[in-house]
Amino acid sequence: MNADLFAGCWPDVDADLPPAALTEIAGRAEAADRAGRPPLASLDLLRELNWPGLPVPEKFHGGGAGLLRCCALQRALGAADPGLAVAVNMHLFSVGLMVEHWRRRTDTSWLLMEAIATQNRLLASAFAEPNLGGSTSRSTLVVDPVEGGWRGSGRKRPCSLAGEADLVCLQVQTTGDPSEVLVALLPTTAPGLRVIEDWDTLGMRGSASNTLLLEDCFIPKELVFYRAPAGREDDDVFAAGVIWFALTSTACYLGAAQAALREAGTLLHRLRIAHLGSSRAELPSYQATLGDPVADLLVLEAAAADVARRMDAGADPEQLVGAALGVKQQAVRVVPAAVAALAEACGGASYSRGLALERLWRDAQAIRFHPPTPVATRQFLARRALGVPASLDLDEKGASSAAS
């Protein structure tokens, strides 16, 4: 497979993630998958490369990477180790959200970003939780107001790198009417935080997406950097956060697809059809089966890069969120189908645990489960297109009820 097909979509990121570092990271991916634990040496290497502070503005001693560059970084990392890429993407998204918040509110949240950049602090992102149906503007983890902040108990699952990160970006919901959603940054050593190691999955096994348990945990008000009415989505910071997550997570899986292309290309050139005297890569029948998946990946790469460029150029996030969600929704269809087509073309060899293609096929399935979920996104995009009230909260009552 000719990787140069995709070269024009993304900026070069060799200065931030040198090829030698990516090779080192890739060399640990299989062991992390088999153990179901994160590659700690790879996390240490990312810290040495000052990766945690890359999205932080340069004036706060960060790398000043915009969304496009961050997507390119995640794509490169996803091609080396998809599980690690998905795990640290939660850091990238959280810091991106902080940057977008600061740009629009210009408050003291820059102090948190500066600490992340200068101290190479790694974040876990505690947004996902059971029974939300993929909602991104609510939480079932409810906290009560107390002197100096809020206090509450509950669980966040899955929470990538909950046991390995220095800080946790935590989303909770307050009691009372009206109820608010709060996003705070807590040290993972804070009293009342505990990790339950229960991550045992089909793919993305090295992401360490364990359960974060809050037990009478205190959240100081000075560590809350974002608050908004629960369920409210007409907010530029919320929209920017959705865009960052949709595009950076898609980039991780595009990297996994690129790794699958590379592995399949090597196999297809090596595997021969004996009675034809040719490798599979040389045969038109095999070439024909891969043309459409490659075309789909090319379109997805170009679309993701274009939306990221528009975001960096200052487009209104609330106008761009539909396009970003459309990219993510296409990725749910395109990436697993492309990796499956590559595996099928390689035949039974791709089913072997001894080859990376089997692991990449398993990793590709996880794209279906990131919020906003495909079910919620379909409903949102369809309602937007039809001109009826739309929300990323699932609504089974119908548009007429939503409008009333």
Side-chain angles (χ1 to χ4, degrees), residues 63-204:
L67 180 54
L68 178 66
R69 189 166 140 217
C70 285
C71 286
L73 288 164
Q74 287 304 91
R75 182 180 176 274
L77 197 56
D81 183 348
L84 178 67
V86 162
V88 299
N89 193 64
M90 306 312 164
H91 166 98
L92 204 67
F93 148 70
S94 297
V95 178
L97 176 63
M98 294 175 68
V99 172
E100 297 292 345
H101 170 83
W102 175 80
R103 283 176 178 161
R104 290 162 174 79
R105 306 294 186 264
T106 57
D107 56 14
T108 57
S109 59
W110 67 269
L111 291 167
L112 301 174
M113 292 190 292
E114 186 176 69
I116 290 167
T118 58
Q119 301 170 31
N120 265 325
R121 299 297 188 186
L122 193 63
L123 271 64
S125 183
F127 282 72
E129 58 190 72
N131 304 317
L132 274 182
S135 174
T136 54
S137 59
R138 299 181 187 275
S139 176
T140 61
L141 202 165
V142 177
V143 295
D144 295 307
V146 295
E147 184 177 355
W150 294 265
R151 189 178 295 276
S153 301
R155 64 183 58 214
K156 290 287 187 173
R157 184 179 69 216
C159 183
S160 299
L161 300 182
E164 292 75 25
D166 306 294
L167 303 163
V168 58
C169 188
L170 177 69
Q171 178 171 290
V172 298
Q173 189 166 326
T174 64
T175 55
D177 187 15
S179 178
E180 285 188 307
V181 164
L182 311 177
V183 181
L185 206 60
L186 296 181
T188 50
T189 55
L193 289 182
R194 181 163 64 91
V195 177
I196 301 173
E197 295 190 358
D198 54 2
W199 184 247
D200 187 14
T201 53
L202 175 72
M204 294 297 180

